Structures are given as structure tokens and as C-alpha cells.
Amino acid sequence: MKTSQLFTKTSKTAPADETSRSAELLLRAGYIYKEMAGVYDFLPLGMRTLQNIIQVIREEMNALGAQELTMSTLQSKAVWEASDRWSDEVMDVWFKTKLNAGGEVGLAPTHEEPFTRLMKSYISSYKDLPIYVYQFQNKFRNELRAKSGIMRTREFIMKDLYSFCIDRKQHEKFYEEVAKSYARIFDRLGIGDKTYRTFASGGSFCKFSDEFQTLCEAGEDIIYIDKESGIALNEEVLTDENLENLGIKRENLTEHKAAEVGNIFTLGYKYADALDLNFNDESGKRQKVFMGSYGIGPSRVMGVIAEMLSDDKGLVWPEEIAPYKYYLVGLGEEGNKKAAELHDKAPELVFFDDRDARAGEKFADAELMGMPYRVVISDKTLANNQVEVMNRKTGETKLLTLDEFEHKLV
Amino acid sequence: MKTSQLFTKTSKTAPADETSRSAELLLRAGYIYKEMAGVYDFLPLGMRTLQNIIQVIREEMNALGAQELTMSTLQSKAVWEASDRWSDEVMDVWFKTKLNAGGEVGLAPTHEEPFTRLMKSYISSYKDLPIYVYQFQNKFRNELRAKSGIMRTREFIMKDLYSFCIDRKQHEKFYEEVAKSYARIFDRLGIGDKTYRTFASGGSFCKFSDEFQTLCEAGEDIIYIDKESGIALNEEVLTDENLENLGIKRENLTEHKAAEVGNIFTLGYKYADALDLNFNDESGKRQKVFMGSYGIGPSRVMGVIAEMLSDDKGLVWPEEIAPYKYYLVGLGEEGNKKAAELHDKAPELVFFDDRDARAGEKFADAELMGMPYRVVISDKTLANNQVEVMNRKTGETKLLTLDEFEHKLV
């Protein structure tokens, strides 16, 4: 990609109403555009970043043996009435709208109900189980307050995985596999060292659920970590009884602000009961299906990464999710000619700043946009057959021969 | 993919309320699931097919130099009031809903307005133009009647491309490039020979727009084709004046039912006027931006392909969009062992029916699901080191050596 091909431009200032650093940087760097409070577009650089995050998650979901599909946004009232979640008093984040043909429909805030109903068409015997299905689909939540840019929005993309098992035992095995898969995902996304599997409230389903909480000042949650055991608890479950059961002493806990980047729930029989999802066991007896649900919000994760890994100069993307790996700058006539050549070898890896602008302006944009490596080719480096490569995260600079750099583009 | 890994199953009957052949076959083969009238989920096989169609379109859009991004579904009232399209009397397909925080929002039925507003942040000079941007994004249209399965729905995915040019001349050049790109797309999707670029009403924008109409009995449009010149007209523009201007005689026209698979519009200054999108020309004078819009609905196209290319036995997918290229059946113990081996070499190309079922059942499902080639390995073919390959479309059968077939899997 070349700057001259990209319609977005960077800007020195961000809208006054954005208070979070991630939103400010993502807006200034041209990654996102604000349609209204809590609703954002993903511009070309932002969409590439988001797609890279999605691809990491997809690979790990497929490795679990889960099957991808896409459910609808529009939701039928009857399906949600069956589980008693249609009422605004039970679920206060519904967006609802009316069909011209008559009747009311909702915009999916989550998808347990339609997944459960779908499975009624395909599950009849224990031989059909277990089934693991997931999607990347927009969710709509009518939040009273949207905040922190893309970390808490009214419309956002979510990866939601659902498991359908013959019993709790089969479920628990998969649940732990997903927990491991989530740890791998957050490692690959560059926030593994700051992300804790955290005991949280299980809601109506079971005693605990697991949240994946990333330490982050802009986060909305408070978690407590026992440094010795590595066990973390959401403040909502910080009771003497729980501490005792977990063998943890209150005085060893440290308090942290954190952002929830994933969660996994044991749903048990709640939805199978409500929507009558059964199977015949080996002896031909009807049994309820045991369910679980597992979420990660890729756009929220992108916000958390932008918040945590950025610095005063701008964004800092881990290699696996950066829109481009190299931010290439040519200085002088020969430097620019060579830079253009190198870009053309790998336009998917190289972002070439081909503007007729001062070096300082290009360097500032390189820092703001946050590609992992800034590569400079000048008449001077060329004279030694070299390029200068700076690591965006560490600031470390080294010289590579042209050959060495070209090999990285293959 | 193996049948045993896929949660969907085929069924012999379709819901009684589905009258179109494509919907019946897609439902029976487990490609889609009906949430309610006009709202469908895309199950794993359907999602793969849809993604393949999207990928073909994406490649052609990128070849035009267009940049991909993703706009929001939720739409702010003010932006659409500016163009006078917020009112239900002007745009009768709106879904609207209320924010808990106060205020009304709409679900995007199309995206001209937000794209125009977005560009106000990025277009200032003639040097910024032209700009071509596109997305694959869900559209919501509150149709009174949904029909023909995924050919006319209330929620559907759309590729919409928008062009921003300095003047009509620059616009017209791009417009023709898009028309050629669309022809390539429909060729690659296997419906090129039945798809006509068709004169249609230009609405308020200009005299004509261009529709891409595919001859199809289940289509909702009537078009007239002049066989000699290849010129096609939508019935809405079949006037003596237009015929005379085009140099066509009414008696040479043949009438056809057709489904609209794409459209391209010259928007002119309509939205730039409404939302005040300007640029400075070379002499520093403020000028309005000249716009165009270009749509293809991938899910609708999938329905049209399913409708047109299917036969009495089931679906028939062109190679480029089939979820898997080969439907592999092993007969006998050795045949099944070898089939499993071949599947494992290329699970992205091969759908292996590993069920413990009669050959006839597997063959019937192979026909219903519509993969381009059915491949049978039996103890008998194995004795000659061969596999039997049947072309789903032509029914033609030939024997390949195992080596020849394995080479196709690399």
C-alpha cells in the first residue's frame, strides 16, 4: 500500500469528546471514524487490523474443531420469549423495531436462543454430540453510556462460540480446552502477559464463570490478583467464602483496573430447557443438551491493544495484527526510487510513504500509525547497500543489507 | 471436511412455505436456515459458498483500485435528514429504533449518506480525487413481502462501492471500468452467459442507470433483449423515445423474466449537494464532488446461482464458488481407507462422506449438495489404481489414475 493510494490522512488533533487514548490515536491515525456516540466505522487500516485479529481467533477456533457459520441480526420475538429474555426488564440492552408486514423484531444482543433453536433441527441422538459452532457477527446493545472509543460501543463485532454436549463431564473437558485456546489467542495478540483468567459471577447458570481480564487503566472492571498462585477474581466475587474455598488470603491480593477481553460460561440446561433441545442417549432415553458459551469481541480487543501497547507518539501494533509490517520511507531521489521498487515486491507487507513531504512528517506518521518496523532508505544508506530498520516498540535501530531486507519480503 | 465433522444434515423435504427452488434446495442441503420470513442464517456450507462469492467480488474490486472498509449499521437521523431520505414516505424500507440514551436511529438500507459525510473529512483538494471505496456490509430493508428464499430478504449482505470524482468525465471512465469488472465477476460466478447489462431507470439522478439482469424464471423483473445488438432494457424504460434513441426496433425484442444481480448508478451531485462535499480545483475554486454507486448482493447472487444452475437432483455449483470441489465416496473397506487418506491431504478441497450409509444415500447427497465433482473409490477401482470422477453438471464420468487425482489435490 502507498500513502497516495489510501484516502485516509492522519491528523494532529482528535475530537474533543473522545477521552480515551486508544480512541484518540485510532481516530487521528485514520483507523476508525465516529458515526455517533458508540458507533464507529472501520477505515481501511482499521479494517485490516480488525481482520487480522479475527483471523487469529478463527484459526484457534478451527483448531478446537468448531464450525463457522453466520446467524442473522434480526431476531424473532417468539424465540426469545421462550427463554424469557424478550422483555426489556430482563434484558435492558435490546434494540427493537417493527416489521412493515406486522410484528416486532429485535437486533441480536447475543445469540444463545437462535443457536439453541437451530440445533433442534440437527441434534437427535448422542451420536450427533458434541457440536461446537461459532460466528463473527455484529451485536447490538442499547447501552445507556458508550465510552472508551471502540472498547464499549452500541454496535460491535463479536466472536461467539457455543458448545452442545451430552453432559457436564463432556462439557467441562471442552470448557478447559477453550480456556487454553483463549490464552493462546491473547498471547498471539500481544497481550497474553497482561491477561488473567479471572473468576467472575456465573449469573443464573452456575457458581462462577471465567472472564479474561487484561490489566488496563481504561478498563471498567476491578480485579484482584494473588501474585503467588496467579489466581484472579473479579471484585463481584470477592467474598470471604470464595477466598477460603480458593485457599487465598485477602492480604496477598493486589487490586487492578482491567478490561474484559473474553468470557466463557457454563450455561448448563437453561436454554435447552427453555427451547426444548433434547437428544436420545445410548439407551434411547430423552436427555437435555448441556450447553456453554464463549465470547471474544475483536473490536473491543483492538481497542484494548491500542490502549495498552501505544505510547506518547502513537499506536504500536504487534506483528501478527499490524495492517502492514513495514512503514517504508525513501529519502532523496535514489532512496525513493529504491523504496518504490521494494514496495512493489510486497505491497501486502509494506506501507510506502510516497508523499512529497518532509522526512519529519513521515517519521511522525510512522510513529502514529504504529507499524512494527520503520524502514528508511536514503542515498546514504544506499551507498552502503543498506536500509535502516527501527523497531517501533523498542526504538532500537539497526542496519540491514538490502539483500537481508529483501529476503524478509518474500 | 468430513460428514462426521459437519453438524448439518440433508433432508428429503423442505418447509412447505418455501416456493422457490433455490430456497428449497439450499434448506434441504443444509446451506441455510430460516429464522423468519426474509431472514436466513448461513450454515457452514452456505457460509463457505457465500465467502467464495465475496472473495471473487473483492478481488475484482481491488483490481479497480478500490479500498475496502466497513461502515456501521446504525445510522444517525441527522445525516439522512440532510439528503431528505430519513422520512418513511421518501424511503419506505427503513427499520428504525430508539436509543435508551435518547434519540432515534435507523438500520442502514444503503450507505450513500454516511460515505458522503465520511469523505468530508478526507477530501479537500482535486489531488485527493478520484477515491473509490467499498464494503461488504449487511443491509436491512423493511420489505412488505420477502420472497424467493435468499433472493429477496429483509437482511442481506451487499457489496457497495462508491466513487468520488472531480467531474462527470472522470466519473464516466470509472463507471465503464466498473461495468467491465461486473461482467468479469458474473463470468467467474458462472452466470455470465445469462447476464445482461440492462438499461434501467436512473431515478432522480440521471436518465439511465445500468442493471445487471440474469435471465431467471424466478426473477422479479421483466427485461427486453434485442438479440442482434445484445442491448437489453428493463420494461420500466421501454418507451418509443428510448427505442428510437438506441436505434432498436420493438419487433426485434424478446421478453424475459430476470433477476437483478447488480446495478451501477451515476449519482452526480445529489449527495455532495445535500451534505456539502466539495474540493478545491486547480485554480483554487470550490467544486462539488461527482459521485457514483455500484452494488452487488452476494447472498442474492448465491440464490440466483442456486436457482439457475440447479437441476432436479439438487444444487450445481461452479468450481470457483463451491464450498468444496470434490465430494468423495469410498466403497468397501479398502476404498474407504484410501478415501480417508486422500481427504486428509486436502481437507479444504475434499468433502469426504465418511458416514456408515448405503452408497445410494451418499450419491443422492452428493447430487443434492452440488460439489462440482463426485469422486468414487471402490475396491474395484483401487484394483486398477483408479478413481471414478463424475462431473456434477454434465453427468459425464471418467476414470483417473490415483496419481492423476492426487496431483489435483496439491
PDB file of all heavy atoms in Angstrom, chain A residues 362-394:
ATOM      1  N   LYS A 362       6.924  12.382   7.762  1.00  0.00           N
ATOM      2  CA  LYS A 362       6.771  10.943   7.522  1.00  0.00           C
ATOM      3  C   LYS A 362       7.110  10.138   8.771  1.00  0.00           C
ATOM      4  O   LYS A 362       6.421   9.181   9.116  1.00  0.00           O
ATOM      5  CB  LYS A 362       7.670  10.500   6.356  1.00  0.00           C
ATOM      6  CG  LYS A 362       7.272  11.139   5.027  1.00  0.00           C
ATOM      7  CD  LYS A 362       8.122  10.630   3.875  1.00  0.00           C
ATOM      8  CE  LYS A 362       7.707  11.318   2.581  1.00  0.00           C
ATOM      9  NZ  LYS A 362       8.410  10.781   1.417  1.00  0.00           N
ATOM     10  N   PHE A 363       8.163  10.544   9.468  1.00  0.00           N
ATOM     11  CA  PHE A 363       8.559   9.824  10.678  1.00  0.00           C
ATOM     12  C   PHE A 363       7.465   9.942  11.747  1.00  0.00           C
ATOM     13  O   PHE A 363       7.159   8.974  12.456  1.00  0.00           O
ATOM     14  CB  PHE A 363       9.891  10.349  11.224  1.00  0.00           C
ATOM     15  CG  PHE A 363      11.068  10.026  10.342  1.00  0.00           C
ATOM     16  CD1 PHE A 363      12.313  10.581  10.593  1.00  0.00           C
ATOM     17  CD2 PHE A 363      10.935   9.155   9.256  1.00  0.00           C
ATOM     18  CE1 PHE A 363      13.398  10.271   9.780  1.00  0.00           C
ATOM     19  CE2 PHE A 363      12.024   8.845   8.449  1.00  0.00           C
ATOM     20  CZ  PHE A 363      13.259   9.414   8.713  1.00  0.00           C
ATOM     21  N   ALA A 364       6.852  11.109  11.842  1.00  0.00           N
ATOM     22  CA  ALA A 364       5.789  11.305  12.836  1.00  0.00           C
ATOM     23  C   ALA A 364       4.587  10.416  12.511  1.00  0.00           C
ATOM     24  O   ALA A 364       3.987   9.800  13.401  1.00  0.00           O
ATOM     25  CB  ALA A 364       5.367  12.773  12.875  1.00  0.00           C
ATOM     26  N   ASP A 365       4.243  10.322  11.223  1.00  0.00           N
ATOM     27  CA  ASP A 365       3.118   9.464  10.835  1.00  0.00           C
ATOM     28  C   ASP A 365       3.452   7.989  11.059  1.00  0.00           C
ATOM     29  O   ASP A 365       2.590   7.198  11.436  1.00  0.00           O
ATOM     30  CB  ASP A 365       2.734   9.701   9.371  1.00  0.00           C
ATOM     31  CG  ASP A 365       1.735  10.847   9.247  1.00  0.00           C
ATOM     32  OD1 ASP A 365       1.439  11.486  10.289  1.00  0.00           O
ATOM     33  OD2 ASP A 365       1.252  11.095   8.134  1.00  0.00           O
ATOM     34  N   ALA A 366       4.707   7.628  10.793  1.00  0.00           N
ATOM     35  CA  ALA A 366       5.126   6.239  11.033  1.00  0.00           C
ATOM     36  C   ALA A 366       4.894   5.897  12.500  1.00  0.00           C
ATOM     37  O   ALA A 366       4.380   4.821  12.828  1.00  0.00           O
ATOM     38  CB  ALA A 366       6.596   6.058  10.668  1.00  0.00           C
ATOM     39  N   GLU A 367       5.228   6.826  13.374  1.00  0.00           N
ATOM     40  CA  GLU A 367       5.044   6.574  14.808  1.00  0.00           C
ATOM     41  C   GLU A 367       3.576   6.542  15.179  1.00  0.00           C
ATOM     42  O   GLU A 367       3.129   5.689  15.948  1.00  0.00           O
ATOM     43  CB  GLU A 367       5.816   7.611  15.622  1.00  0.00           C
ATOM     44  CG  GLU A 367       7.299   7.238  15.636  1.00  0.00           C
ATOM     45  CD  GLU A 367       8.201   8.284  16.249  1.00  0.00           C
ATOM     46  OE1 GLU A 367       7.875   9.488  16.154  1.00  0.00           O
ATOM     47  OE2 GLU A 367       9.236   7.890  16.804  1.00  0.00           O
ATOM     48  N   LEU A 368       2.796   7.451  14.634  1.00  0.00           N
ATOM     49  CA  LEU A 368       1.367   7.499  14.948  1.00  0.00           C
ATOM     50  C   LEU A 368       0.660   6.225  14.481  1.00  0.00           C
ATOM     51  O   LEU A 368      -0.152   5.641  15.202  1.00  0.00           O
ATOM     52  CB  LEU A 368       0.734   8.731  14.276  1.00  0.00           C
ATOM     53  CG  LEU A 368      -0.776   8.880  14.435  1.00  0.00           C
ATOM     54  CD1 LEU A 368      -1.173   8.946  15.905  1.00  0.00           C
ATOM     55  CD2 LEU A 368      -1.265  10.137  13.698  1.00  0.00           C
ATOM     56  N   MET A 369       0.977   5.762  13.271  1.00  0.00           N
ATOM     57  CA  MET A 369       0.266   4.608  12.695  1.00  0.00           C
ATOM     58  C   MET A 369       0.663   3.269  13.311  1.00  0.00           C
ATOM     59  O   MET A 369      -0.107   2.323  13.258  1.00  0.00           O
ATOM     60  CB  MET A 369       0.487   4.554  11.191  1.00  0.00           C
ATOM     61  CG  MET A 369      -0.270   5.624  10.436  1.00  0.00           C
ATOM     62  SD  MET A 369      -0.115   5.279   8.672  1.00  0.00           S
ATOM     63  CE  MET A 369      -0.950   6.694   7.982  1.00  0.00           C
ATOM     64  N   GLY A 370       1.888   3.185  13.805  1.00  0.00           N
ATOM     65  CA  GLY A 370       2.259   2.043  14.632  1.00  0.00           C
ATOM     66  C   GLY A 370       2.627   0.744  13.936  1.00  0.00           C
ATOM     67  O   GLY A 370       2.559  -0.320  14.554  1.00  0.00           O
ATOM     68  N   MET A 371       3.061   0.804  12.641  1.00  0.00           N
ATOM     69  CA  MET A 371       3.550  -0.441  12.040  1.00  0.00           C
ATOM     70  C   MET A 371       4.790  -0.895  12.845  1.00  0.00           C
ATOM     71  O   MET A 371       5.558  -0.060  13.323  1.00  0.00           O
ATOM     72  CB  MET A 371       3.965  -0.266  10.578  1.00  0.00           C
ATOM     73  CG  MET A 371       3.010   0.460   9.653  1.00  0.00           C
ATOM     74  SD  MET A 371       1.304  -0.051   9.685  1.00  0.00           S
ATOM     75  CE  MET A 371       0.578   1.282   8.700  1.00  0.00           C
ATOM     76  N   PRO A 372       4.999  -2.214  12.946  1.00  0.00           N
ATOM     77  CA  PRO A 372       6.072  -2.720  13.822  1.00  0.00           C
ATOM     78  C   PRO A 372       7.478  -2.225  13.475  1.00  0.00           C
ATOM     79  O   PRO A 372       8.298  -2.043  14.364  1.00  0.00           O
ATOM     80  CB  PRO A 372       5.968  -4.236  13.659  1.00  0.00           C
ATOM     81  CG  PRO A 372       4.550  -4.479  13.235  1.00  0.00           C
ATOM     82  CD  PRO A 372       4.146  -3.288  12.429  1.00  0.00           C
ATOM     83  N   TYR A 373       7.754  -1.989  12.171  1.00  0.00           N
ATOM     84  CA  TYR A 373       9.101  -1.553  11.797  1.00  0.00           C
ATOM     85  C   TYR A 373       9.051  -0.363  10.844  1.00  0.00           C
ATOM     86  O   TYR A 373       8.308  -0.391   9.862  1.00  0.00           O
ATOM     87  CB  TYR A 373       9.879  -2.690  11.111  1.00  0.00           C
ATOM     88  CG  TYR A 373      10.011  -3.901  11.989  1.00  0.00           C
ATOM     89  CD1 TYR A 373       9.125  -4.971  11.854  1.00  0.00           C
ATOM     90  CD2 TYR A 373      10.987  -3.966  12.976  1.00  0.00           C
ATOM     91  CE1 TYR A 373       9.217  -6.078  12.682  1.00  0.00           C
ATOM     92  CE2 TYR A 373      11.092  -5.064  13.813  1.00  0.00           C
ATOM     93  CZ  TYR A 373      10.199  -6.124  13.659  1.00  0.00           C
ATOM     94  OH  TYR A 373      10.288  -7.207  14.485  1.00  0.00           O
ATOM     95  N   ARG A 374       9.856   0.632  11.142  1.00  0.00           N
ATOM     96  CA  ARG A 374      10.029   1.736  10.187  1.00  0.00           C
ATOM     97  C   ARG A 374      11.325   1.475   9.430  1.00  0.00           C
ATOM     98  O   ARG A 374      12.370   1.213  10.040  1.00  0.00           O
ATOM     99  CB  ARG A 374      10.142   3.069  10.932  1.00  0.00           C
ATOM    100  CG  ARG A 374      10.180   4.252   9.989  1.00  0.00           C
ATOM    101  CD  ARG A 374      10.533   5.527  10.733  1.00  0.00           C
ATOM    102  NE  ARG A 374      11.964   5.589  11.003  1.00  0.00           N
ATOM    103  CZ  ARG A 374      12.528   6.498  11.794  1.00  0.00           C
ATOM    104  NH1 ARG A 374      11.791   7.397  12.417  1.00  0.00           N
ATOM    105  NH2 ARG A 374      13.837   6.496  11.985  1.00  0.00           N
ATOM    106  N   VAL A 375      11.254   1.507   8.114  1.00  0.00           N
ATOM    107  CA  VAL A 375      12.426   1.210   7.286  1.00  0.00           C
ATOM    108  C   VAL A 375      12.769   2.448   6.477  1.00  0.00           C
ATOM    109  O   VAL A 375      11.917   2.976   5.758  1.00  0.00           O
ATOM    110  CB  VAL A 375      12.144   0.014   6.346  1.00  0.00           C
ATOM    111  CG1 VAL A 375      13.357  -0.277   5.481  1.00  0.00           C
ATOM    112  CG2 VAL A 375      11.742  -1.215   7.159  1.00  0.00           C
ATOM    113  N   VAL A 376      13.990   2.924   6.591  1.00  0.00           N
ATOM    114  CA  VAL A 376      14.407   4.124   5.863  1.00  0.00           C
ATOM    115  C   VAL A 376      15.508   3.770   4.862  1.00  0.00           C
ATOM    116  O   VAL A 376      16.479   3.095   5.201  1.00  0.00           O
ATOM    117  CB  VAL A 376      14.922   5.214   6.831  1.00  0.00           C
ATOM    118  CG1 VAL A 376      15.406   6.436   6.051  1.00  0.00           C
ATOM    119  CG2 VAL A 376      13.827   5.599   7.814  1.00  0.00           C
ATOM    120  N   ILE A 377      15.283   4.214   3.629  1.00  0.00           N
ATOM    121  CA  ILE A 377      16.301   4.049   2.588  1.00  0.00           C
ATOM    122  C   ILE A 377      16.693   5.441   2.119  1.00  0.00           C
ATOM    123  O   ILE A 377      15.853   6.177   1.592  1.00  0.00           O
ATOM    124  CB  ILE A 377      15.750   3.265   1.377  1.00  0.00           C
ATOM    125  CG1 ILE A 377      15.118   1.962   1.840  1.00  0.00           C
ATOM    126  CG2 ILE A 377      16.850   3.003   0.374  1.00  0.00           C
ATOM    127  CD1 ILE A 377      14.526   1.167   0.700  1.00  0.00           C
ATOM    128  N   SER A 378      17.934   5.805   2.330  1.00  0.00           N
ATOM    129  CA  SER A 378      18.382   7.125   1.878  1.00  0.00           C
ATOM    130  C   SER A 378      19.522   6.926   0.882  1.00  0.00           C
ATOM    131  O   SER A 378      20.053   5.824   0.747  1.00  0.00           O
ATOM    132  CB  SER A 378      18.877   7.947   3.064  1.00  0.00           C
ATOM    133  OG  SER A 378      20.007   7.314   3.645  1.00  0.00           O
ATOM    134  N   ASP A 379      19.877   8.014   0.210  1.00  0.00           N
ATOM    135  CA  ASP A 379      21.015   7.922  -0.712  1.00  0.00           C
ATOM    136  C   ASP A 379      22.244   7.438   0.057  1.00  0.00           C
ATOM    137  O   ASP A 379      23.068   6.686  -0.463  1.00  0.00           O
ATOM    138  CB  ASP A 379      21.269   9.285  -1.359  1.00  0.00           C
ATOM    139  CG  ASP A 379      20.083   9.712  -2.233  1.00  0.00           C
ATOM    140  OD1 ASP A 379      19.165   8.874  -2.418  1.00  0.00           O
ATOM    141  OD2 ASP A 379      20.059  10.857  -2.700  1.00  0.00           O
ATOM    142  N   LYS A 380      22.299   7.843   1.330  1.00  0.00           N
ATOM    143  CA  LYS A 380      23.460   7.487   2.156  1.00  0.00           C
ATOM    144  C   LYS A 380      23.468   5.989   2.505  1.00  0.00           C
ATOM    145  O   LYS A 380      24.485   5.320   2.351  1.00  0.00           O
ATOM    146  CB  LYS A 380      23.401   8.324   3.440  1.00  0.00           C
ATOM    147  CG  LYS A 380      24.723   8.429   4.179  1.00  0.00           C
ATOM    148  CD  LYS A 380      24.594   9.450   5.320  1.00  0.00           C
ATOM    149  CE  LYS A 380      25.028   8.828   6.637  1.00  0.00           C
ATOM    150  NZ  LYS A 380      24.587   9.609   7.797  1.00  0.00           N
ATOM    151  N   THR A 381      22.305   5.462   2.963  1.00  0.00           N
ATOM    152  CA  THR A 381      22.293   4.017   3.281  1.00  0.00           C
ATOM    153  C   THR A 381      22.516   3.222   2.006  1.00  0.00           C
ATOM    154  O   THR A 381      23.172   2.183   2.019  1.00  0.00           O
ATOM    155  CB  THR A 381      20.977   3.558   3.955  1.00  0.00           C
ATOM    156  OG1 THR A 381      19.898   3.682   3.025  1.00  0.00           O
ATOM    157  CG2 THR A 381      20.659   4.352   5.212  1.00  0.00           C
ATOM    158  N   LEU A 382      21.954   3.730   0.906  1.00  0.00           N
ATOM    159  CA  LEU A 382      22.097   3.020  -0.378  1.00  0.00           C
ATOM    160  C   LEU A 382      23.554   2.898  -0.800  1.00  0.00           C
ATOM    161  O   LEU A 382      23.953   1.884  -1.385  1.00  0.00           O
ATOM    162  CB  LEU A 382      21.312   3.747  -1.469  1.00  0.00           C
ATOM    163  CG  LEU A 382      19.888   3.288  -1.750  1.00  0.00           C
ATOM    164  CD1 LEU A 382      19.331   4.066  -2.932  1.00  0.00           C
ATOM    165  CD2 LEU A 382      19.836   1.780  -2.037  1.00  0.00           C
ATOM    166  N   ALA A 383      24.297   3.942  -0.504  1.00  0.00           N
ATOM    167  CA  ALA A 383      25.723   3.932  -0.872  1.00  0.00           C
ATOM    168  C   ALA A 383      26.432   2.728  -0.235  1.00  0.00           C
ATOM    169  O   ALA A 383      27.385   2.183  -0.797  1.00  0.00           O
ATOM    170  CB  ALA A 383      26.380   5.231  -0.428  1.00  0.00           C
ATOM    171  N   ASN A 384      25.909   2.302   0.942  1.00  0.00           N
ATOM    172  CA  ASN A 384      26.468   1.101   1.589  1.00  0.00           C
ATOM    173  C   ASN A 384      25.608  -0.136   1.347  1.00  0.00           C
ATOM    174  O   ASN A 384      25.769  -1.145   2.042  1.00  0.00           O
ATOM    175  CB  ASN A 384      26.581   1.326   3.095  1.00  0.00           C
ATOM    176  CG  ASN A 384      27.543   2.438   3.425  1.00  0.00           C
ATOM    177  OD1 ASN A 384      28.614   2.528   2.820  1.00  0.00           O
ATOM    178  ND2 ASN A 384      27.149   3.299   4.347  1.00  0.00           N
ATOM    179  N   ASN A 385      24.655  -0.007   0.400  1.00  0.00           N
ATOM    180  CA  ASN A 385      23.747  -1.130   0.128  1.00  0.00           C
ATOM    181  C   ASN A 385      22.970  -1.555   1.374  1.00  0.00           C
ATOM    182  O   ASN A 385      22.771  -2.747   1.613  1.00  0.00           O
ATOM    183  CB  ASN A 385      24.543  -2.331  -0.384  1.00  0.00           C
ATOM    184  CG  ASN A 385      24.307  -2.506  -1.874  1.00  0.00           C
ATOM    185  OD1 ASN A 385      23.155  -2.438  -2.320  1.00  0.00           O
ATOM    186  ND2 ASN A 385      25.374  -2.697  -2.610  1.00  0.00           N
ATOM    187  N   GLN A 386      22.528  -0.568   2.127  1.00  0.00           N
ATOM    188  CA  GLN A 386      21.853  -0.866   3.390  1.00  0.00           C
ATOM    189  C   GLN A 386      20.502  -0.154   3.524  1.00  0.00           C
ATOM    190  O   GLN A 386      20.197   0.779   2.778  1.00  0.00           O
ATOM    191  CB  GLN A 386      22.750  -0.432   4.564  1.00  0.00           C
ATOM    192  CG  GLN A 386      23.966  -1.328   4.765  1.00  0.00           C
ATOM    193  CD  GLN A 386      24.844  -0.837   5.880  1.00  0.00           C
ATOM    194  OE1 GLN A 386      25.063   0.368   6.030  1.00  0.00           O
ATOM    195  NE2 GLN A 386      25.376  -1.759   6.664  1.00  0.00           N
ATOM    196  N   VAL A 387      19.692  -0.625   4.469  1.00  0.00           N
ATOM    197  CA  VAL A 387      18.492   0.099   4.903  1.00  0.00           C
ATOM    198  C   VAL A 387      18.558   0.183   6.432  1.00  0.00           C
ATOM    199  O   VAL A 387      19.174  -0.663   7.085  1.00  0.00           O
ATOM    200  CB  VAL A 387      17.178  -0.616   4.493  1.00  0.00           C
ATOM    201  CG1 VAL A 387      17.082  -0.782   2.997  1.00  0.00           C
ATOM    202  CG2 VAL A 387      17.047  -1.972   5.191  1.00  0.00           C
ATOM    203  N   GLU A 388      17.886   1.232   6.963  1.00  0.00           N
ATOM    204  CA  GLU A 388      17.868   1.395   8.421  1.00  0.00           C
ATOM    205  C   GLU A 388      16.516   0.929   8.933  1.00  0.00           C
ATOM    206  O   GLU A 388      15.466   1.389   8.457  1.00  0.00           O
ATOM    207  CB  GLU A 388      18.073   2.875   8.744  1.00  0.00           C
ATOM    208  CG  GLU A 388      18.127   3.173  10.225  1.00  0.00           C
ATOM    209  CD  GLU A 388      17.771   4.637  10.494  1.00  0.00           C
ATOM    210  OE1 GLU A 388      18.676   5.472  10.484  1.00  0.00           O
ATOM    211  OE2 GLU A 388      16.572   4.921  10.706  1.00  0.00           O
ATOM    212  N   VAL A 389      16.516   0.003   9.855  1.00  0.00           N
ATOM    213  CA  VAL A 389      15.259  -0.546  10.369  1.00  0.00           C
ATOM    214  C   VAL A 389      15.102  -0.179  11.846  1.00  0.00           C
ATOM    215  O   VAL A 389      15.976  -0.481  12.658  1.00  0.00           O
ATOM    216  CB  VAL A 389      15.231  -2.089  10.230  1.00  0.00           C
ATOM    217  CG1 VAL A 389      13.915  -2.647  10.785  1.00  0.00           C
ATOM    218  CG2 VAL A 389      15.408  -2.489   8.771  1.00  0.00           C
ATOM    219  N   MET A 390      13.983   0.493  12.170  1.00  0.00           N
ATOM    220  CA  MET A 390      13.741   0.844  13.571  1.00  0.00           C
ATOM    221  C   MET A 390      12.546   0.062  14.092  1.00  0.00           C
ATOM    222  O   MET A 390      11.493  -0.005  13.465  1.00  0.00           O
ATOM    223  CB  MET A 390      13.461   2.330  13.717  1.00  0.00           C
ATOM    224  CG  MET A 390      13.327   2.723  15.189  1.00  0.00           C
ATOM    225  SD  MET A 390      13.310   4.508  15.435  1.00  0.00           S
ATOM    226  CE  MET A 390      11.567   4.819  15.216  1.00  0.00           C
ATOM    227  N   ASN A 391      12.730  -0.546  15.254  1.00  0.00           N
ATOM    228  CA  ASN A 391      11.655  -1.280  15.912  1.00  0.00           C
ATOM    229  C   ASN A 391      10.745  -0.267  16.610  1.00  0.00           C
ATOM    230  O   ASN A 391      11.192   0.493  17.468  1.00  0.00           O
ATOM    231  CB  ASN A 391      12.283  -2.250  16.926  1.00  0.00           C
ATOM    232  CG  ASN A 391      11.232  -3.101  17.621  1.00  0.00           C
ATOM    233  OD1 ASN A 391      10.237  -2.585  18.122  1.00  0.00           O
ATOM    234  ND2 ASN A 391      11.458  -4.406  17.645  1.00  0.00           N
ATOM    235  N   ARG A 392       9.466  -0.229  16.211  1.00  0.00           N
ATOM    236  CA  ARG A 392       8.553   0.790  16.738  1.00  0.00           C
ATOM    237  C   ARG A 392       8.399   0.681  18.245  1.00  0.00           C
ATOM    238  O   ARG A 392       8.251   1.678  18.937  1.00  0.00           O
ATOM    239  CB  ARG A 392       7.184   0.632  16.048  1.00  0.00           C
ATOM    240  CG  ARG A 392       6.056   1.491  16.631  1.00  0.00           C
ATOM    241  CD  ARG A 392       6.269   2.951  16.368  1.00  0.00           C
ATOM    242  NE  ARG A 392       5.249   3.793  16.971  1.00  0.00           N
ATOM    243  CZ  ARG A 392       5.299   4.267  18.209  1.00  0.00           C
ATOM    244  NH1 ARG A 392       6.335   3.985  18.989  1.00  0.00           N
ATOM    245  NH2 ARG A 392       4.344   5.032  18.686  1.00  0.00           N
ATOM    246  N   LYS A 393       8.414  -0.561  18.750  1.00  0.00           N
ATOM    247  CA  LYS A 393       8.145  -0.767  20.169  1.00  0.00           C
ATOM    248  C   LYS A 393       9.343  -0.373  21.036  1.00  0.00           C
ATOM    249  O   LYS A 393       9.199   0.347  22.018  1.00  0.00           O
ATOM    250  CB  LYS A 393       7.821  -2.256  20.384  1.00  0.00           C
ATOM    251  CG  LYS A 393       7.322  -2.600  21.764  1.00  0.00           C
ATOM    252  CD  LYS A 393       6.875  -4.060  21.791  1.00  0.00           C
ATOM    253  CE  LYS A 393       6.805  -4.598  23.193  1.00  0.00           C
ATOM    254  NZ  LYS A 393       6.609  -6.062  23.179  1.00  0.00           N
ATOM    255  N   THR A 394      10.531  -0.829  20.622  1.00  0.00           N
ATOM    256  CA  THR A 394      11.714  -0.617  21.467  1.00  0.00           C
ATOM    257  C   THR A 394      12.503   0.625  21.058  1.00  0.00           C
ATOM    258  O   THR A 394      13.327   1.112  21.829  1.00  0.00           O
ATOM    259  CB  THR A 394      12.670  -1.824  21.363  1.00  0.00           C
ATOM    260  OG1 THR A 394      13.125  -1.916  19.987  1.00  0.00           O
ATOM    261  CG2 THR A 394      11.976  -3.110  21.741  1.00  0.00           C
TER     262      THR A 394
END
